[in-house]
């Protein structure tokens, strides 16, 4: 007599959610936000849940924190924007050095804002250290700079020699670019020519002109009107020399004006590509791979408005998820537009901490708590 077959227990498929928030500026970092959201989801869904945490950034300040944990970073003393020593970090993620130029040459490091005198030399020292370690893929974030030197300081730290008309070597700053008569590339750091550079920039400004690095951003870095005109003339002269050597109109490349033109030497002499910041971050983070088999993506930032959906971190996440046909949900600090208006742009569920916290101050100062609350409510609403 045939024994009755035992009924196999149905194994419930785990719910896979990719958690990819930006930082809530002035409140909570992207990694901490991702952790809080994960804890809120687990409190409701328990072992039914599989989370993949991919904190993100738009390619500016906070990119290093988003992509590289503390134990994957390298710290060293470098030259700050004012010429004084500063302690700066960079990180290594999946064989790529993540160098946030603001860590070495940022506006927050400058005691007195002097765009004409500020240098990117320290950023070059970080790159040089990565090259010496054998790293041949480098992501440079171009944002938050105190500088307007066209990347000359950085390039000098990598071995380029700038000479004036008398043949004397010097390290140009934004105010001395017009002194450059020649650039000697014979002593460039070993590995420079074999390295793939990506410049993450969230702006498309060219190097020169009314929409260029100097006139658009120079004043906020401390430049006077007189200095702006002087630096623009110097930048134009410098660009002409670079373009004569490399044979390309690098000053016209969209984004070449980011961070005071820091990317010019890399674009001209290393074939660097300027990419939208969030796209570069997602690629470095392996975001497309994380989306495979996902049931949803949760992203977010401090304030969600229509600008969030055009060129910022949330828009990059939403775009990548849409290509993979994964629904996109948002947990943000507060809303700057109507929910229905935001949903019409491709978002499914939208929760704001302002709906949970008693007041704005609490949502900012205790964001971790309210992110957990919002995530728990999200899980109950969509998966119970």
């Amino acid at each position: 007599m045939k024994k009755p077959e035992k009924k196999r227990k149905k194994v419930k498929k785990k719910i896979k959610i990719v958690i990819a928030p930006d930082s809530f500026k002035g409140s909570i970092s992207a990694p901490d936000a991702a952790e809080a959201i994960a804890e809120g989801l687990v409190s409701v869904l328990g072992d039914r849940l599989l989370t993949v945490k991919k904190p993100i950034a738009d390619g500016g300040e906070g990119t290093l924190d988003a992509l590289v944990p503390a134990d994957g970073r390298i710290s060293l003393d470098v030259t700050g924007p004012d010429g004084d020593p500063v302690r700066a970090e960079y990180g290594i993620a999946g064989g790529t050095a993540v160098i946030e130029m603001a860590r070495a040459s940022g506006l927050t490091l400058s005691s007195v804002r002097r765009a004409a005198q500020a240098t990117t030399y320290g950023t070059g020292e970080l790159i040089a250290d990565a090259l010496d370690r054998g790293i041949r893929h480098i992501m440079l974030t171009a944002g938050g700079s105190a500088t307007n030197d066209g990347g000359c300081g950085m390039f000098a730290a990598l071995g380029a020699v700038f000479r004036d008309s008398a043949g004397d070597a010097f390290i140009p700053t934004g105010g001395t670019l017009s002194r450059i008569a020649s650039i000697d590339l014979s002593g460039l750091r070993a590995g420079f020519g074999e390295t793939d550079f990506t410049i993450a920039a969230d702006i498309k400004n060219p190097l020169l002109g009314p929409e260029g690095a100097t006139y658009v951003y120079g004043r906020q870095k401390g430049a006077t009107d007189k200095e702006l005109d002087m630096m623009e003339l110097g930048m134009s002269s410098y660009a002409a020399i670079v373009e004569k050597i490399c044979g390309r109109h690098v000053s016209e490349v969209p984004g070449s004006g980011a961070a005071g033109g820091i990317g010019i030497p890399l674009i001209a002499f290393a074939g660097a590509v300027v990419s939208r910041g969030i796209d570069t971050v997602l690629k470095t983070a392996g975001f497309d791979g994380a989306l495979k088999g996902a049931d949803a993506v949760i992203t977010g930032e401090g304030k969600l408005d229509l600008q969030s959906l055009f060129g910022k971190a949330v828009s990059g996440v939403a775009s990548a998820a849409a290509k993979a046909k994964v629904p996109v949900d948002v947990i943000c600090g507060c809303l700057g537009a109507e929910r229905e208006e935001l949903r019409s742009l491709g978002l499914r569920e939208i929760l704001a901490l302002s709906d949970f916290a008693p007041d704005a101050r609490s949502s900012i100062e205790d964001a971790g708590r309210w992110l957990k609350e919002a995530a728990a409510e999200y899980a109950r609403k969509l998966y119970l």
Side-chain angles (χ1 to χ4, degrees), residues 5-363:
E5 288 185 10
K6 288 183 181 179
K7 287 185 179 179
R8 292 182 183 178
K9 288 183 180 179
K10 286 186 179 179
V11 179
K12 286 185 178 180
K13 175 182 174 291
K14 280 187 177 284
I15 301 164
K16 179 180 177 180
I17 298 179
V18 179
I19 305 171
D22 194 355
S23 64
F24 288 48
K25 288 182 173 56
S27 178
I28 190 170
S29 70
D32 287 345
E35 187 61 39
I37 292 169
E39 288 179 20
L41 295 174
V42 169
S43 71
V44 174
L45 299 175
D47 59 8
R48 290 179 58 201
L49 181 69
L50 172 63
T51 61
V52 179
K53 287 171 277 191
K54 290 288 183 182
I56 48 109
D58 62 8
E61 188 180 351
T63 300
L64 181 61
D65 287 336
L67 289 178
V68 187
D71 60 4
R73 300 184 197 176
I74 295 156
S75 179
L76 59 153
D77 291 321
V78 299
T79 306
D82 298 336
D84 300 320
V86 298
R87 193 74 176 169
E89 289 182 322
Y90 73 94
I92 299 175
T96 296
V98 179
I99 297 179
E100 194 175 303
M101 70 87 60
R103 299 272 179 150
S105 312
L107 197 58
T108 58
L109 301 175
S110 185
S111 56
V112 181
R113 296 185 177 188
R114 292 177 179 155
Q117 288 83 41
T119 181
T120 54
Y121 196 90
T123 298
E125 290 175 302
L126 293 180
I127 294 173
D129 189 81
L131 293 177
D132 291 347
R133 293 172 188 268
I135 302 297
R136 295 296 178 262
H137 297 275
I138 294 179
M139 169 187 168
L140 176 67
T141 72
S145 76
T147 56
N148 201 72
D149 69 352
C152 287
M154 174 193 69
F155 207 31
L158 293 172
V161 178
F162 296 86
R163 298 188 187 279
D164 60 20
S165 57
D168 295 326
F170 73 108
I171 299 175
T173 63
T176 60
L177 294 172
S178 59
R179 283 183 55 199
I180 302 172
S182 65
I183 307 172
D184 181 357
L185 307 178
S186 63
L188 287 176
R189 202 81 167 202
F192 177 82
E194 294 81 52
T195 300
D196 293 324
F197 287 93
T198 300
I199 301 165
D202 58 2
I203 64 169
K204 294 183 178 180
N205 302 66
L207 182 68
L208 304 172
E211 299 301 316
T214 303
Y215 284 124
V216 175
Y217 301 103
R219 191 172 282 104
Q220 70 190 43
K221 301 174 187 181
T224 64
D225 288 345
K226 185 177 179 181
E227 285 176 324
L228 289 176
D229 293 337
M230 175 265 293
M231 288 194 296
E232 178 71 4
L233 283 172
M235 192 74 85
S236 180
S237 173
Y238 159 60
I241 293 170
V242 169
E243 291 178 347
K244 185 176 181 181
I245 298 171
C246 75
R248 294 177 57 205
H249 293 298
V250 293
S251 61
E252 298 174 5
V253 172
S256 60
I262 191 171
I264 287 297
L266 303 180
I267 298 167
F269 304 115
V273 174
V274 182
S275 177
R276 190 172 70 144
I278 181 58
D279 294 338
T280 307
V281 169
L282 293 178
K283 182 179 179 181
T284 303
F287 191 71
D288 285 347
L291 289 174
K292 291 178 181 176
D295 295 286
V297 173
I298 298 177
T299 187
E301 60 184 2
K303 183 177 182 180
L304 185 73
D305 54 26
L306 295 180
Q307 282 299 108
S308 303
L309 280 302
F310 296 98
K312 296 203 175 178
V314 169
S315 72
V317 171
S319 176
K323 288 177 185 174
K325 298 183 179 178
V326 177
V328 182
D329 303 308
V330 174
I331 300 177
C332 60
C334 63
L335 297 176
E338 294 296 324
R339 273 187 173 83
E340 289 311 311
E341 195 173 15
L342 292 165
R343 284 196 185 100
S344 70
L345 297 171
L347 303 177
R348 183 177 63 173
E349 195 65 35
I350 301 171
L351 291 87
L353 304 192
S354 56
D355 295 332
F356 296 86
D359 51 54
R361 182 175 178 179
S362 178
S363 71

